Amino acid sequence: MPHERVFVHGSGRRGIEAWPEKDASAGEFLGLTQGLSIADQVSALRSRCERRRVIVFAHSIGAIPAVIAARDLDLAALVLIEPALYDIARGDAAVERHIGIVTEARSVAEAGDLPGFWAIMRPLMFGGHFDGALWDEERALAARWACTNLPWGHGARAQMVDGIPTLVVTGGWNDEYEQIARVLRDRGARHEIVPGHGHRPQDSSRFTDVVGAFESTLFPG
């Protein structure tokens, strides 16, 4: 293999569990600690990837430490899946709407009203309205989302990928992620849409084909 692969999960499943189409031989699957700050994630990624020639695969909010760390690493490439790089698309209507809703929801949570927080966040992130009959079942999930890292305010910039071969894969379902992809495409990234799996296009068998075609352009033969 002419390069190594490092996989960075998003805010949900961790380690190899976040990449169901992969097996342990595909590369190194990071399992970043729950509650680790973005700055600490950047430091962890730098320490794992320094002095190595790697392709970093990063999903959702995992794209933030991947992009910030990239400027200090000798990366072979970046593969960003539904990257939650909201900082690079500020001003876009869909992005600002999302940030506004989440900011309101977090203020409700900080005031001690977790059900009120969930009534705002659940439709935004998962669809469907808050249902009191499901509250006992969903309370832990709501509590986790009330304190998870926000995907903006970390200083990520689109130019951080300049000079790094970059593939952006989106699901074609969400205006925010498509706008983020357009910004990266304007910086020279390749953008592929893999529909049918929402925020997790890596769950599609087509994702492997898309990545394989990208890697073959980097490492022909």
Side-chain angles (χ1 to χ4, degrees):
M1 184 170 65
H3 56 273
E4 299 177 85
R5 300 180 185 91
V6 173
F7 295 85
V8 183
H9 58 75
S11 61
R13 285 172 271 181
R14 285 166 163 69
I16 197 169
E17 296 302 319
W19 306 90
E21 289 294 316
K22 300 295 182 184
D23 59 47
S25 66
E28 181 178 1
F29 296 84
L30 300 188
L32 298 175
T33 303
Q34 178 82 24
L36 204 64
S37 71
I38 295 293
D40 287 340
Q41 291 178 27
V42 171
S43 296
L45 189 56
R46 283 177 180 148
S47 66
R48 299 294 282 270
C49 295
E50 61 184 355
R51 296 185 295 276
R52 298 167 65 188
R53 186 70 169 160
V54 302
I55 295 180
V56 172
F57 291 71
H59 176 231
S60 192
I61 199 170
I64 298 175
V67 165
I68 294 174
R71 58 188 171 179
D72 298 320
L73 299 170
D74 182 26
L75 297 184
L78 279 167
V79 178
L80 306 176
I81 303 97
E82 291 261 308
L85 296 167
Y86 284 80
D87 280 333
I88 76 171
R90 293 302 304 259
D92 175 76
V95 168
E96 294 301 328
R97 175 182 177 274
H98 180 94
I99 290 173
I101 293 172
V102 175
T103 299
E104 177 190 0
R106 291 292 280 260
S107 68
V108 171
E110 289 165 5
D113 183 3
L114 189 61
F117 161 81
W118 197 232
I120 299 171
M121 282 294 291
R122 193 189 195 287
L124 180 69
M125 300 302 297
F126 300 100
H129 297 293
F130 175 82
D131 184 346
L134 299 175
W135 177 236
D136 287 344
E137 179 182 338
E138 296 183 349
R139 183 191 303 269
L141 181 61
R144 180 169 69 80
W145 276 96
C147 63
T148 193
N149 289 319
L150 294 174
W152 52 83
H154 306 288
R157 298 292 181 263
Q159 57 264 36
M160 290 175 175
V161 306
D162 288 356
I164 303 171
T166 301
L167 170 66
V168 183
V169 182
T170 58
W173 67 286
N174 179 284
D175 290 342
E176 301 140 40
Y177 292 108
E178 297 307 312
Q179 176 60 23
I180 290 166
R182 282 190 287 270
V183 172
L184 292 168
R185 187 182 62 205
D186 289 345
R187 305 293 306 191
R190 177 175 173 177
H191 177 208
E192 297 283 349
I193 297 175
V194 177
H197 292 266
H199 189 47
R200 291 186 53 84
Q202 68 266 42
D203 290 349
S204 169
S205 59
R206 183 167 170 253
F207 175 77
T208 300
D209 296 334
V210 166
V211 170
F214 174 66
E215 289 186 328
S216 69
T217 66
L218 301 177
F219 310 103

